[in-house]
Amino acid sequence: MSDPHDAPPSPGTAVGRLLSRRQAGRAAVDAEAPAATPKGGSSAMLQRLFAGIETPEPLLAAFANGMSTLPGELGDMGLRLQSAQRSADWVSYGRAMRQLIDKYIRTIEQESPDGQPDSLRLRDLLRHTLGVTVASLLQNMPELKDEPARIAADLQLWHPGQPLQPLELRLRELSHQIGVRSDGWQEQQELLLSLFDLLLDNISELLDDSSWLHSQVHAVRELIGGPLDRDSVEQARANLREVIYKQGLLKQGIVESKAAMKHLMGGFIERLDGMAVSTGEYHDRISSYALALKEARSIADLSQLLQDVLQDTGRVQEQALQARDHLGNARREVELAEQRIAELEQELREASGLVRTDPLTGALNRRGFDELLERELARAGRHAHPLALALIDLDDFHQTNDQYGHAGGDAVLRHLVTVSRLLVRSTDAIARIGGDEFVLLLPETPGADSMSTLLRLQRSLAQRPLPLEAQRVPVHFSAGLVQWQPGEDADTLLRRADAALYAAKRVGKNRVQAA
């Protein structure tokens, strides 16, 4: 019965692979060092070697001899160990051992706590990425959409020790094809956006200057001009749906009002026509009464004639009064119809986004800013992105108004918005929420970057004084800057910004105070 310690290691382990390579050279080892191989098998040999652990030279010599029997680079490493051991150069022996550990022993695959090697875990992760994520992104590419699934299936069959070059080549080719087509996707998107922008240009040319549709066109242009994200597109779609609904109400109201006006005017014309006929008959009868008057011979004849004239005149007068009442009713109904149309048009203007923009400066107004802030707060909370907000108040604005009038003050407000838009990103937004108070919203901007943006805006305004009445008027502002904290709502954020602005005003003008 064999010793259980003599059972050979499993060939699937690293030690088993190392010993299997040694079997081919075992005969040569026995020939060169017969005294080092005791009778009784590998178990007895190991017991004898480790029995002299207090004197490690025999153990190190046996390890060097065993390494020298291996083929290739491992055998060369064993020869170096043999040479160092024979010359007792233990420094060189230790250096060779460190190289062996770094290059070979540390690469022996260790099992993770769940019992699965890391290479297999990485294989499964790559397979899931290809088969699910990449494949879903390539659904619109028929020539590529099946390749990630095929590579993922082949990865499922791969195990450590098998060659990776075929899979590597296929992955590299797939990455190359995706890169080549991504340029085409980007170009196609840009072409579609430019086509859409050209269509909006044509629509704008067909509209008069007072049309509320300009605000719709402006909102869509701002959307396609900036980076497209799901929240912005969804909000724009909801706004356009509201506009379409209001447009349907307006169209229906106009059609009904026109029909009512047409009916009323048609009835009035019929009454006028009847009045004309009655009036013609009345004139004819009056003419006959004039002839009868000349031929009258008695008071009784005159009395009957006068009674007939009064009776005919009364009928004509009654018809005139009815026509007047009908005309008054028609006028009131027309006025009500026009009022309803005006109300529908006002609702349509509100739905189209006109009231979300300040008509003087083109910046967002309070309603537009509130909607944007709620969206950005939700997005920052969802993705854990930073969000900065600056409350801006113009310095000495009332003095500018007193010196240059309201036209000069309006020019200062427009100048601030124009310069701000030159410096901020397309994802940033400026809104006018008061007479000379503005809010600058900076999504995905940490504290240091947001402070740099405000200081850069102050410098830019100082370098661009506003020309007013042959003078160059400097424009300065003070600001309170805050960073959004997770869980903070819009009101709390604005209150903190207002407190920071008050602190900046208290310290002095042309200041930026961070909360």
Side-chain angles (χ1 to χ4, degrees), residues 170-189:
R170 291 172 64 186
L171 276 174
R172 289 182 181 274
E173 178 62 21
L174 177 62
S175 301
H176 173 70
Q177 294 297 332
I178 292 175
V180 170
R181 284 162 174 77
S182 65
D183 294 337
W185 296 339
Q186 182 67 26
E187 183 179 359
Q188 183 180 14
Q189 183 181 13

Side-chain angles (χ1 to χ4, degrees), residues 260-330:
M261 292 172 62
K262 181 179 179 181
H263 175 72
L264 292 172
M265 294 305 297
F268 179 68
I269 291 174
E270 290 179 0
R271 284 185 172 273
L272 287 179
D273 185 58
M275 286 182 60
V277 174
S278 299
T279 305
E281 294 177 352
Y282 175 73
H283 283 295
D284 293 339
R285 294 175 68 87
I286 290 296
S287 299
S288 65
Y289 291 150
L291 294 176
L293 181 61
K294 293 179 180 180
E295 299 175 354
R297 294 290 184 266
S298 63
I299 296 298
D301 294 340
L302 290 175
S303 177
Q304 183 62 40
L305 184 60
L306 181 59
Q307 184 178 357
D308 293 340
V309 169
L310 291 176
Q311 185 177 1
D312 291 340
T313 304
R315 281 197 300 267
V316 172
Q317 184 180 10
E318 182 180 358
Q319 290 179 348
L321 290 175
Q322 290 177 354
R324 184 194 65 181
D325 295 340
H326 186 76
L327 180 60
N329 293 333

